[in-house]
Amino acid sequence: MRYLFEEYAFDTGRREICRGADLVPVTPQVFDLLDYLIHNRERVVSKDDLINAIWNGRIVSDAALATRLNAARTALGDSGEEQRLIKTLPRKGFRFVGQVHETQQPAGATAAHTPVEPPKPALRLPDKPSIAVLPFQNMSGDPDQEYFADGIVEDIITGLSHIKWLFVIARNSTFIYKARAVDVKRVARELGVRYVLQGGVRNAGNRVRITSQLVDAETGVHLWAERYDRPLDDIFAVQDEITVSVVGAIEPSLRRAEIERVKRKRPDSLDAYDLVLQALPFAYTGESENIAMAIPLLEQALALDPGYAGAQAALAWCCHHRFRFNRGGLREGDRAAAVRHARAAIACGGDDATALALAGLVIAFDERDHATALNLFNRALSLSNSNVFAFSCSAIVLAWMGESDLAIERAQLALRLSPFDPMNFMPNNAVAIANFHAGRYEAAAAAARRAIEVNPRFSICHAHLAAALVRQGCCEEAKVEAKRVLECDPHFSTSGFFVSAGLAPAVFTPYAEALREAGLPK
């Protein structure tokens, strides 16, 4: 059995512990102690339990037990003060509180650090400093607090993305490493970055503890590490401090005045912030069932803080998707709501690149104000030239406007910034639309297939493939894709799709003709 947690792989068969590719030396007794704690991690283990299991019931002093526990914590980079992985519960016992994934060692494996999956191809380093922020570990032991740790990371990524000279990998690509033992060097190769930020969050009562460390993945050197133990009300200041410290470690000569530009307007209500963190995982999927779960949370957040740009933009995005799917007969009401919330996001989020990008997409499709939309995309990219939403949203809009070359350029930048993003169906769809308009039907079909791989439940991905296949002369295969469009969205029609995507008739009309030839209703 192999237990995977944080960067560690605990192999009971080979009796070895690896941190990434490095073997961690431990004595047999310490290994047995860790094995017992991890195996029984669902309960509190008493001192007598440990003595019976590790020392076979022999009389053991408290000092000897404490020595072994300290050695176990040291092997995992933990401490008695931090208790990130091994928690002491006074007068009760001990418990392993790390998030563990169990996996079987592959048959015939010959190395303790055999990867759980084959490594992904290495990406070339960009020509400027580059960083990936990995998911912070939820150290509270409460699964319901997982969203809070994730939200902290998303805010740090957003803060770093404001820095023009820094290439920042988007959240959705780094989060594929969540709850996995990771090798920092391997992660850096797969994401194409030089620096990696890791950490953990414990949220208890009205206090929060955040630990973080910055690693130069090429050398393995820890450039900076810090622990913050603060009232929960100081969470935004802590996020800014982490961002500033990372910038200072990467570019020591950067003037303090430049670093201050990283900071942005924060919501006035911590409760509103918490509600938005809960809503975003549902909102970003664009799927009607998840949208229905996100909207009430976002509306509650705005009731507490109407000036929260991130909540306004996310709600605009949700209303746009509900309008597009025409659920519940609220079509025009949803379009008006989408525009209203997009305009509110613009008014109160002039320094929030993601809010401006989402607002731009909604303004383009639901208000047909192309000039304002393009201006919003440019403003978002001037604020953060690593913002994947700005590249993806603008690529989709530009593709439907007929600006094929620029759409493809921005889509490719989005895919490079976030190579493993579950939202990569957006830039791939932009590439499909742009290539279809340019008459490059084989390239359009290839991009549509990539979009389907990322999100097979999104009807539009199948529509793009159907249109491209028709123009390639693959009519039978196109009809199969048309059926899949209707399986995903039984109400789909080309006229209905035009309402939400027909920005330029010269682009949409030949596309709609191909869809009708594939068998989709008018």
Side-chain angles (χ1 to χ4, degrees):
M1 177 65 69
R2 300 180 82 215
Y3 299 111
L4 307 180
F5 51 92
E6 294 190 351
E7 293 180 272
Y8 296 91
F10 189 95
D11 192 325
T12 59
R14 299 183 61 87
R15 292 185 60 81
E16 291 178 340
I17 307 173
C18 287
R19 185 177 185 269
D22 300 324
L23 191 65
V24 178
V26 292
T27 65
Q29 219 168 45
V30 170
F31 185 93
D32 290 341
L33 186 148
L34 281 169
D35 187 9
Y36 188 81
L37 287 172
I38 296 171
H39 182 74
N40 293 280
R41 61 189 179 277
E42 299 303 324
R43 66 182 181 89
V44 176
V45 173
S46 69
K47 183 177 82 170
D48 290 340
D49 289 335
L50 285 176
I51 292 173
N52 288 331
I54 311 304
W55 285 275
N56 296 316
R58 298 195 307 271
I59 296 175
V60 176
S61 68
D62 288 346
L65 177 58
T67 299
R68 301 302 186 277
L69 282 167
N70 288 337
R73 285 183 170 125
T74 300
L76 303 181
D78 199 1
S79 68
E81 180 183 10
E82 186 177 2
Q83 297 190 17
R84 187 181 78 257
L85 294 173
I86 301 174
K87 188 174 183 64
T88 300
L89 293 93
R91 296 182 298 280
K92 293 183 180 179
F94 312 92
R95 185 172 169 232
F96 190 90
V97 295
Q99 292 187 347
V100 178
H101 173 66
E102 295 184 6
T103 182
Q104 295 291 335
Q105 179 78 352
T110 58
H113 51 273
T114 302
V116 177
E117 61 182 35
K120 298 176 177 65
L123 292 175
R124 184 175 62 85
L125 287 174
D127 57 1
K128 58 182 178 179
S130 50
I131 187 170
V133 185
L134 295 183
F136 279 21
Q137 184 193 8
N138 171 21
M139 301 187 300
S140 67
D142 181 1
D144 291 338
Q145 290 298 316
E146 200 71 27
Y147 75 91
F148 189 83
D150 294 349
I152 296 294
V153 173
E154 183 157 356
D155 262 18
I156 292 171
I157 291 172
T158 301
L160 290 171
S161 296
H162 280 70
I163 301 162
K164 307 296 189 298
W165 51 263
L166 187 60
F167 184 95
V168 184
I169 294 292
R171 168 205 190 274
N172 284 345
S173 278
T174 60
F175 268 58
I176 69 167
Y177 299 99
K178 187 176 174 66
R180 287 170 46 184
V182 295
D183 175 357
V184 169
K185 291 185 178 180
R186 175 182 167 184
V187 168
R189 286 194 302 270
E190 292 177 352
L191 294 174
V193 296
R194 179 168 182 177
Y195 303 101
V196 174
L197 183 70
Q198 301 171 289
V201 178
R202 176 180 284 121
N203 180 13
N206 65 345
R207 297 194 67 81
V208 62
R209 170 177 288 182
I210 300 177
T211 60
S212 56
Q213 58 181 3
L214 181 68
V215 180
D216 183 330
E218 287 189 342
T219 63
V221 173
H222 286 65
L223 301 175
W224 163 84
E226 188 58 82
R227 185 182 71 195
Y228 305 88
D229 204 347
R230 303 285 181 78
L232 197 56
D233 291 345
D234 286 347
I235 187 66
F236 305 129
V238 173
Q239 291 167 359
D240 282 335
E241 285 184 44
I242 292 173
T243 303
V244 168
S245 297
V246 169
V247 173
I250 295 174
E251 183 56 65
S253 63
L254 192 68
R255 289 179 293 113
R256 184 77 183 186
E258 291 294 316
I259 299 175
E260 289 299 319
R261 295 183 184 179
V262 174
K263 299 181 180 179
R264 68 193 189 285
K265 183 180 182 292
R266 304 294 189 176
D268 294 329
S269 168
L270 187 61
D271 291 336
Y273 175 75
D274 192 90
L275 287 163
V276 171
L277 293 186
Q278 295 180 54
L280 289 181
F282 299 108
Y284 285 159
T285 67
E287 297 172 5
S288 58
E289 296 84 359
N290 287 338
I291 291 294
M293 298 179 70
I295 286 176
L297 294 168
L298 294 168
E299 288 175 339
Q300 290 178 57
L302 289 175
L304 293 169
D305 185 0
Y308 192 171
Q312 293 282 9
L315 191 51
W317 166 275
C318 289
C319 290
H320 163 75
H321 281 285
R322 194 164 64 176
F323 159 66
R324 189 177 64 78
F325 283 111
N326 192 22
R327 295 292 186 253
L330 300 174
R331 163 153 268 177
E332 288 306 322
D334 280 328
R335 171 150 59 176
V339 171
R340 184 175 68 254
H341 289 297
R343 291 288 179 179
I346 298 166
C348 55
D351 54 356
D352 187 329
T354 297
L356 293 176
L358 293 175
L361 183 143
V362 171
I363 293 295
F365 285 128
D366 297 339
E367 197 172 14
R368 301 300 171 90
D369 186 344
H370 301 172
T372 296
L374 295 178
N375 180 55
L376 289 170
F377 296 140
N378 290 335
R379 282 172 58 189
L381 290 170
S382 69
L383 285 168
S384 170
N385 56 11
S386 291
N387 188 278
V388 73
F389 277 99
F391 284 119
S392 293
C393 292
S394 63
I396 287 284
V397 171
L398 288 164
W400 282 120
M401 289 177 62
E403 299 288 344
S404 297
D405 291 342
L406 184 54
I408 290 172
E409 177 185 330
R410 291 195 175 178
Q412 289 174 339
L413 284 167
L415 292 167
R416 175 61 185 90
L417 282 165
S418 194
F420 311 131
D421 198 325
M423 293 186 69
N424 273 351
F425 64 93
M426 287 182 63
N428 278 311
N429 279 341
V431 173
I433 299 161
N435 278 311
F436 184 93
H437 178 61
R440 298 185 289 263
Y441 302 120
E442 186 176 349
R449 291 185 197 279
R450 291 193 296 271
I452 290 169
E453 288 177 6
V454 177
N455 191 351
R457 297 175 57 190
F458 198 56
S459 60
I460 306 307
C461 305
H462 296 284
H464 295 329
L465 181 54
L469 289 170
V470 163
R471 291 295 171 254
Q472 286 183 280
C474 305
C475 294
E476 292 305 314
E477 191 179 352
K479 290 178 180 178
V480 171
E481 290 303 319
K483 290 180 181 178
R484 288 173 179 159
V485 171
L486 295 174
E487 288 171 2
C488 296
D489 183 4
H491 304 287
F492 183 91
S493 67
T494 56
S495 58
F497 189 34
F498 177 80
V499 173
S500 63
L503 299 185
V507 178
F508 193 87
T509 300
Y511 173 85
E513 289 173 355
L515 291 183
R516 286 194 288 272
E517 289 178 37
L520 285 164
K522 183 177 180 180

